[in-house]
Amino acid sequence: MRKMLRNSDPFGELMPRHIYNVVLICSEYDQFLIEADGRVEEELFREYTQLGLTNPPKISFARTREDLFYLLKTTEADLVITMMELGETNVIELAQSIKMQYPTLPVVALSPSPTHHVSIALKKRNIAAIDYLYYWQGNSNIFLAMIKLIEDKMNALHDAQTEAEVPVIILVENSVRFYSTYLPLLYKAIIQQTRMSMSEDLTPWGAALRMRGRPKIVLAQNYEEAIALYDAFNKNVLGIITDVNFDKEGKSDSEAGLKLCQFIRSKEPDLPLLLQSTNADYKDDADSVSASFIWKLSSSLLNDLKLYLFENYGFGPFIFRHHESGNEIARAETLRELQHTLETIPIESFVNHASRNDFSRWLKARSLYVLANLFRPYR
């Protein structure tokens, strides 16, 4: 029986549920592509090794319905991933059959295109048997993102309610294409930042615990899901990244993202909000609710998103700014440098950063949750 190491440190209680065994059902051709270059297995092994975990997910392949249910019966599967093209096998009926026998087993579908006919049917019919739909173009990073998102969904509420109070990033996006792009980047940025903080005089045990306490990501695909996630995690939200156009009250709303930002801003004046749209005209609307804006059609989209994360979520150095001009006056790469720099900056700058929860946010992004929670009340 799987057990997680525990001790008196709050990190020892984090992420009690993990994905260990993945069953991938696909055609012989897809299996050949995946196994021939080893990209998926290699990427998962590399990432889990960097995380300090000793059990990277194992992928078992099935080509037929019979193969799949044999594996589910004989192995302790934690996740089923299905390609869209399965010959005569209907993906939707297959997922429903899986859920009938294994109701808590996550099922993810991979589509070769957001416009694939089965993908469109899935989105229109809102098939409950399929937990997530992703856009697959041979990028192995999507496998890591799929697994991490499901683990975060299973563990986020538990981890947020522990003594460590692990923070959560809410992504609101109903475009399969865009969240398939954003999620690998978000996880890569979080993992990179957490690994940077592990160099600060941590023992191997402390580093492993800190990795388990990284910020979690949860995905909402409509207004009601976004509000429900905010209500569930409102004390632990690190930031919200939202599209502009998505469903609200069951209907497409071209300004649902703006309405969400307005609601959040009425509750939290300093929470980082990022509005995204294919329409550049929404930049002024984003400014009106004190939200940042990224144009989805920009040629530098991924770099823009990465820069935003580092500047607003504390994923880079802590930058001390002048309280009036906003110009940089100092920066700290590590906790030790932050400690020494605090003695040299003007008190007005210190008060400005404290009033905006900048110190708490930076510490939380580096998995220093207990210390961050001590800072947060002192604004």
Side-chain angles (χ1 to χ4, degrees), residues 219-240:
L219 175 66
Q221 299 186 56
N222 58 55
Y223 185 89
E224 288 71 28
E225 287 181 4
I227 293 296
L229 289 173
Y230 175 75
D231 288 341
F233 298 105
N234 64 81
K235 294 182 180 179
N236 303 90
V237 177
L238 186 62
I240 296 176

Side-chain angles (χ1 to χ4, degrees), residues 292-309:
S292 300
F293 181 82
I294 287 181
W295 184 40
K296 282 186 173 182
L297 300 182
S298 169
S299 59
S300 59
L301 174 65
L302 298 185
N303 286 333
D304 293 344
L305 179 59
K306 187 172 183 179
L307 180 62
Y308 172 83
L309 295 177

Side-chain angles (χ1 to χ4, degrees), residues 132-174:
Y132 292 106
L133 172 66
Y134 288 92
Y135 178 32
W136 162 255
Q137 280 194 316
N139 181 4
S140 59
N141 289 333
I142 194 64
F143 278 82
L144 177 69
M146 286 188 296
I147 291 169
K148 291 303 178 188
L149 186 69
I150 291 174
E151 286 187 342
D152 285 358
K153 181 180 180 180
M154 295 188 298
N155 295 302
L157 189 60
H158 171 274
D159 290 359
Q161 292 175 342
T162 64
E163 181 183 344
E165 298 184 10
V166 174
V168 169
I169 298 170
I170 300 176
L171 174 64
V172 188
E173 178 61 72
N174 65 348

Side-chain angles (χ1 to χ4, degrees), residues 37-231:
D37 56 19
R39 283 180 298 172
V40 174
E41 295 276 10
E42 179 183 344
E43 180 67 24
L44 288 174
F45 179 81
R46 181 189 305 114
E47 208 61 63
Y48 271 71
T49 300
Q50 291 176 349
L51 287 172
L53 302 176
T54 57
N55 294 298
K58 177 184 177 183
I59 297 179
S60 300
F61 290 91
R63 286 205 291 270
T64 66
R65 181 190 181 95
E66 291 71 23
D67 289 343
L68 172 65
F69 280 96
Y70 175 78
L71 285 172
L72 295 182
K73 184 178 180 179
T74 57
T75 62
E76 192 175 352
D78 302 302
L79 169 65
V80 172
I81 300 175
T82 175
M83 298 293 191
M84 285 297 191
E85 300 296 340
L86 298 176
E88 298 180 356
T89 301
N90 183 287
V91 172
I92 295 174
E93 293 177 358
L94 178 65
Q96 291 170 336
S97 298
I98 295 171
K99 290 292 188 179
M100 286 182 64
Q101 296 189 43
Y102 306 92
T104 62
L105 182 62
V107 178
V108 170
L110 286 182
S111 171
S113 166
T115 59
H116 188 279
H117 66 282
V118 180
S119 302
I120 295 173
L122 280 174
K123 288 186 284 188
K124 286 183 177 180
R125 294 168 60 183
N126 192 26
I127 306 302
I130 294 181
D131 296 272
Y132 292 106
L133 172 66
Y134 288 92
Y135 178 32
W136 162 255
Q137 280 194 316
N139 181 4
S140 59
N141 289 333
I142 194 64
F143 278 82
L144 177 69
M146 286 188 296
I147 291 169
K148 291 303 178 188
L149 186 69
I150 291 174
E151 286 187 342
D152 285 358
K153 181 180 180 180
M154 295 188 298
N155 295 302
L157 189 60
H158 171 274
D159 290 359
Q161 292 175 342
T162 64
E163 181 183 344
E165 298 184 10
V166 174
V168 169
I169 298 170
I170 300 176
L171 174 64
V172 188
E173 178 61 72
N174 65 348
S175 167
V176 177
R177 175 187 174 188
F178 280 104
Y179 70 66
S180 295
T181 300
Y182 287 148
L183 286 171
L185 180 64
L186 282 170
Y187 279 110
K188 183 177 181 180
I190 291 172
I191 290 169
Q192 285 178 339
Q193 175 57 30
T194 308
R195 282 180 55 78
M196 284 171 58
S197 70
M198 288 165 53
S199 64
E200 298 176 20
D201 301 326
L202 285 178
T203 64
W205 170 251
L209 292 179
R210 185 172 291 184
M211 265 301 182
R212 287 175 177 171
R214 63 166 175 78
K216 304 295 183 284
I217 300 173
V218 290
L219 175 66
Q221 299 186 56
N222 58 55
Y223 185 89
E224 288 71 28
E225 287 181 4
I227 293 296
L229 289 173
Y230 175 75
D231 288 341

